[in-house]
Amino acid sequence: MLIEILQQTINGLAIGGVYVLIALGLTTVFGILGIAHFAHGSISMFGGYLTYFLVTAQGLPVLAAIPVALAAGILLGLLVEILAYRPVRNANHINAFIVALGLTMMVEGINLQLFGHEQVVIPTGLSRVFRLGGITVPELRLYVIVAAIVLVVAMMIFVERTKTGQAIRAVAENRDAAILMGVNVRTIPLIVFGMSTALGVAAGIMVGALFAIAPGIGEGLVVKGFAVLILGGLGSFPGAILGGTVLGITESIAAGFISSAYKDVIAFVVMILVLLIRPQGLLGRAP
Amino acid sequence: MSKHKFTRACAALALTLVAGSSLAAEKKLTVGVADALTGGGAVYGLPQANAVKMAAEEINAAGGIKVGPDIYKIDVIAYDDKANPTEATNAVRKLIDRDGVKYILGFCCSGSTSAVASFIGNEKAVMLVGNAAERSITTKKIPNLVRTRPPADYTGQAAGTFIARKGQKRIAVLGALDVGFYAQYVDSVEREIKKVGGEIIAREVFSLKDRDMTPQLTKIRGLNPDAILVVGYVEPAAFVYRQAVELGMNIPRYGFTSGSEEQFLRVTTSEQMEGVWDLRPTELTLLSASKNGIAYHANYTKKYNASPSPSSPYAYDQLYALKAAIEAAGTVDNTEAVAKALRNLAVPPQVVMQYQPVDGKMFDVNGQAYTSNGAFQWQKGKWVFVEDLPSDSKAYSQFLSTLK
């Protein structure tokens, strides 16, 4: 029993890592700019597809393809901010909402046109399996968990310890006060979108390597990402980290110990139960 | 040339042309394809649509369909139903109402096919179903519907006998069990293994979009089964095989998926697939293929630069069956006569699948065709046909006739 619980926890950690990265990207944009960036999942898939293309069609090694995809993702994030969201920044919230929906369809369409409709799996060549007692950990899952931790730590250091990070937090806390303190608020959205998209692309690459990328998968990811946001507490970085991890492990344990047929339902039931007790989410601030 | 002579020559030429055209007027017959061209079902639907187009080109090149003095060249319109019941209904309505199509082929997936089957009986059209394996599609006695693929439980019975013979008693099932025909396959397997004291110890589920099956597999691993049975679409099934190895499950793996080598290798490695059994209709595997099958494989690969999926000939055979039925009925307009001719049809010589006719006919009274079933094993990078799975098409046909 103990071994099964530990195995399910490890199973859930890998997918939880992906949820964390998606949720961190979403919470950064939502917390600082107030935009529900629905296209985040499709952009993540773009990153995964691009990596697949670079590896299979261009013959790049995976480790070389990943930085290229991340750079392309950051560029795409900047373009999204400049072309799609900036024009509606000072308009009614519904405008940004509609832009976000339209953008989702557009990016999905671009993915379909550029990369086709077939499911693709990023070839990594990592097929070793590590065994410890009765627990098995595939090499690829281990690297995904480690990579997710590294990215989360790097992001936290950036946000907490650098001047730019402080500026981002300042804008999130109080935009007007940040302006008065001399923060250049015009560049903050660009940085936020670049950072958010890089995290999303990293998540897309992980999904593509662990599982598969196909049309429609991005939508499912973004729904889970928003669920994590609510579970962890809107706009809270630690909340997104905790929420993503909890959701991943809950899904895995629910499938293993209750029923695989209701895996997603059970995870959302847990989310609702948490919200009944803590309406602000696990680590969100009470209003 | 005098004016008189010129007039006579023109008249003679006109007469010749008119006479010639009345002997063999070349006309166009548009057939529709409704199938999953995108999405999860596209692994079955797209090769089916390709197969119909290829068959149409072959038939046209060989002279078309001969109906009395007329020769019909086939034109194919294919719409994407995304394996979705609503999309399939819309696609077929568009084919019938807007495009005026009377013959509709394709239909890889059961949910979408069942939706169309529910109203096709009221239409002046003939529906030829391919890979969709849900049993109820041919239990409703719809006179203008036939299906080239046998129902899933017909194959499940043969598969159960095979597993029972292998001696494994405790079988864990992981599959798309919310899809009716997969559940029917498993029920048939269970009936057979129970006869030798075996049992199904777990029925774990995955959905079409699931790609992480490690939670279910971890649970199954904890139950120490003798073997695992995987029923579902190729893509999730491929992940099950891969993740079972990653979890260190070194037990026999049986499946019901009908995926090609290419489709599996997009997800797994050949080493991870080694030893996996696929217990399914014989379909198209080169080692078991007839001369037609080998030619089909070569032509398809050349035309589409990809290997055909094993189930794609179900759709290819549809068009040859339709051609034979139209020629036998002597009409393209009277769909009732064509539907009747389909049910009286002997197996056409051009088909790829190895059909087991019932009373000498390709389709039984329910409109159902039967192919042989086979046990295939993944050996060194490819599916190898190991043996036939004994199947009694006549007895199953009688059983099917008793259902409503």
Side-chain angles (χ1 to χ4, degrees):
Chain A
M1 183 67 146
L2 179 67
I3 285 184
E4 203 177 321
I5 292 172
L6 285 172
Q7 183 70 63
Q8 295 290 18
T9 305
I10 286 169
N11 296 342
L13 273 178
I15 188 68
V18 172
Y19 293 159
V20 168
L21 294 183
I22 289 284
L24 276 176
L26 286 172
T27 206
T28 316
V29 172
F30 188 81
I32 293 161
L33 306 171
I35 297 168
H37 183 33
F38 296 118
H40 192 58
S42 310
I43 291 174
S44 302
M45 290 301 106
F46 171 81
Y49 274 124
L50 185 62
T51 309
Y52 173 80
F53 171 77
L54 292 170
V55 172
T56 57
Q58 302 301 314
L60 279 185
V62 178
L63 287 179
I66 290 172
V68 178
L70 284 173
I74 291 171
L75 193 66
L76 185 63
L78 301 183
L79 285 174
V80 164
E81 200 283 319
I82 294 166
L83 300 176
Y85 290 121
R86 187 173 289 186
V88 295
R89 189 186 302 158
N90 297 318
N92 196 311
H93 279 314
I94 191 77
N95 294 20
F97 182 80
I98 298 297
V99 166
L101 287 180
L103 199 60
T104 309
M105 287 187 251
M106 213 171 97
V107 179
E108 277 286 324
I110 290 170
N111 284 344
L112 210 59
Q113 289 300 318
L114 286 180
F115 304 109
H117 61 269
E118 290 209 10
Q119 162 185 282
V120 299
V121 180
I122 299 170
T124 59
L126 302 171
S127 58
R128 281 185 302 168
V129 179
F130 301 118
R131 289 186 173 80
L132 187 67
I135 298 166
T136 54
V137 188
E139 185 182 14
L140 180 59
R141 279 182 185 246
L142 187 66
Y143 294 152
V144 163
I145 294 167
V146 171
I149 292 169
V150 168
L151 283 169
V152 168
V153 170
M155 189 194 152
M156 294 306 286
I157 289 172
F158 175 72
V159 172
E160 297 289 334
R161 301 279 170 86
T162 66
K163 227 175 159 103
T164 313
Q166 284 171 348
I168 290 172
R169 282 190 293 137
V171 174
E173 288 282 333
N174 189 327
R175 184 184 162 88
D176 295 333
I179 293 169
L180 291 173
M181 296 304 289
V183 174
N184 181 359
V185 291
R186 280 184 71 81
T187 57
I188 295 298
L190 278 174
I191 296 166
V192 165
F193 264 94
M195 191 168 72
S196 157
T197 312
L199 290 172
V201 166
I205 295 168
M206 289 173 182
V207 170
L210 273 177
F211 310 119
I213 310 161
I217 288 189
E219 293 160 25
L221 262 186
V222 94
V223 169
K224 292 275 173 75
F226 275 110
V228 169
L229 238 68
I230 296 164
L231 181 65
L234 278 174
S236 161
F237 291 159
I241 296 164
L242 182 64
T245 313
V246 166
L247 189 68
I249 294 173
T250 307
E251 275 186 2
S252 189
I253 287 185
F257 291 96
I258 304 173
S259 168
S260 50
Y262 303 107
K263 186 172 74 165
D264 289 339
V265 179
I266 291 161
F268 280 98
V269 167
V270 168
M271 188 186 89
I272 291 166
L273 288 177
V274 169
L275 292 180
L276 282 174
I277 301 161
R278 278 186 65 83
Q280 69 272 36
L282 288 170
L283 298 177
R285 285 187 213 150
Chain B
M1 188 185 285
S2 71
K3 192 180 169 187
H4 186 65
K5 272 187 181 171
F6 178 75
T7 311
R8 273 202 304 188
C10 285
L13 182 67
L15 203 65
T16 310
L17 285 173
V18 169
S21 66
S22 71
L23 281 175
E26 192 171 295
K27 296 180 175 176
K28 189 174 83 171
L29 173 68
T30 304
V31 300
V33 171
D35 226 324
L37 308 182
T38 61
V43 287
Y44 303 107
L46 194 59
Q48 284 210 145
N50 287 341
V52 172
K53 288 174 189 165
M54 192 171 94
E57 280 177 23
E58 287 174 10
I59 291 170
N60 289 343
I65 301 179
K66 294 173 188 66
V67 180
D70 298 330
I71 290 174
Y72 285 86
K73 291 291 170 78
I74 303 166
D75 195 23
V76 179
I77 303 177
Y79 289 138
D80 183 8
D81 71 15
K82 300 183 173 70
N84 174 293
T86 310
E87 298 274 357
T89 303
N90 292 342
V92 169
R93 287 257 58 99
K94 209 155 73 170
L95 283 167
I96 295 172
D97 299 336
R98 196 187 68 180
D99 302 320
V101 166
K102 291 188 171 71
Y103 303 100
I104 307 167
L105 292 72
F107 302 104
C108 73
C109 300
S110 292
S112 46
T113 305
S114 297
V116 177
S118 69
F119 68 83
I120 200 72
N122 303 321
E123 303 294 333
K124 288 199 181 308
V126 177
M127 176 178 180
L128 295 100
V129 180
N131 185 59
E134 164 65 41
R135 186 175 63 197
S136 65
I137 292 168
T138 44
T139 58
K140 292 169 187 154
K141 319 285 186 277
I142 302 166
N144 55 342
L145 180 151
V146 295
R147 171 165 60 178
T148 44
R149 182 198 175 127
D153 57 338
Y154 170 71
T155 308
Q157 191 180 15
T161 314
F162 180 80
I163 296 171
R165 218 175 59 218
K166 288 280 174 186
Q168 283 106 27
K169 302 278 186 198
R170 289 160 47 79
I171 312 296
V173 175
L174 176 51
L177 299 178
D178 50 346
V179 178
F181 73 88
Y182 286 123
Q184 287 160 10
Y185 180 96
V186 173
D187 289 344
S188 288
V189 169
E190 186 173 30
R191 270 195 296 275
E192 295 305 312
I193 60 170
K194 269 187 173 172
K195 288 178 187 169
V196 293
E199 60 176 330
I200 287 184
I201 58 165
R203 284 176 185 251
E204 292 297 318
V205 179
F206 59 69
S207 78
L208 183 60
K209 284 190 173 174
D210 277 352
R211 297 293 179 265
D212 183 10
M213 264 63 85
T214 49
Q216 295 96 313
L217 284 166
T218 302
K219 185 178 177 183
I220 287 172
R221 190 180 68 175
L223 298 171
N224 288 321
D226 295 335
I228 182 169
L229 172 63
V230 183
V231 295
Y233 285 11
V234 180
E235 288 158 347
F239 277 99
V240 173
Y241 293 139
R242 168 175 145 181
Q243 290 161 2
V245 172
E246 289 174 349
L247 286 170
M249 296 173 73
N250 188 21
I251 51 175
R253 292 168 291 167
Y254 297 102
F256 174 53
T257 61
S258 296
S260 68
E261 287 91 352
E262 202 179 325
Q263 288 168 334
F264 276 102
L265 290 175
R266 279 184 206 143
V267 175
T268 64
T269 63
S270 184
E271 291 72 32
Q272 288 166 332
M273 285 295 293
E274 191 64 26
V276 168
W277 290 95
D278 208 22
L279 308 174
R280 57 174 167 85
T282 307
E283 297 180 348
L284 180 74
T285 301
L286 283 179
L287 283 171
S288 68
S290 60
K291 217 167 109 185
N292 286 355
I294 292 165
Y296 170 82
H297 192 284
N299 294 339
Y300 186 104
T301 307
K302 190 176 167 197
K303 184 170 170 54
Y304 297 109
N305 201 24
S307 300
S309 63
S311 60
S312 60
Y314 287 127
Y316 178 85
D317 293 350
Q318 289 173 340
L319 197 57
Y320 276 104
L322 179 64
K323 173 186 182 287
I326 288 173
E327 288 177 345
T331 173
V332 293
D333 298 320
N334 186 345
T335 53
E336 275 178 38
V338 174
K340 214 170 171 182
L342 273 168
R343 275 180 164 64
N344 288 314
L345 197 69
V347 178
Q350 302 92 339
V351 298
V352 168
M353 298 298 197
Q354 293 162 45
Y355 293 96
Q356 296 183 325
V358 176
D359 298 329
K361 292 168 187 169
M362 178 172 178
F363 299 101
D364 70 3
V365 288
N366 307 297
Q368 180 62 60
Y370 302 91
T371 63
S372 57
N373 292 308
F376 298 81
Q377 192 176 34
W378 190 283
Q379 294 175 8
K380 293 178 185 157
K382 57 176 75 169
W383 288 116
V384 173
F385 174 70
V386 176
E387 63 178 85
D388 262 320
L389 298 177
S391 321
D392 187 343
S393 58
K394 189 161 185 178
Y396 185 88
S397 172
Q398 283 165 355
F399 160 71
L400 199 65
S401 299
T402 64
L403 303 174
K404 286 180 184 171

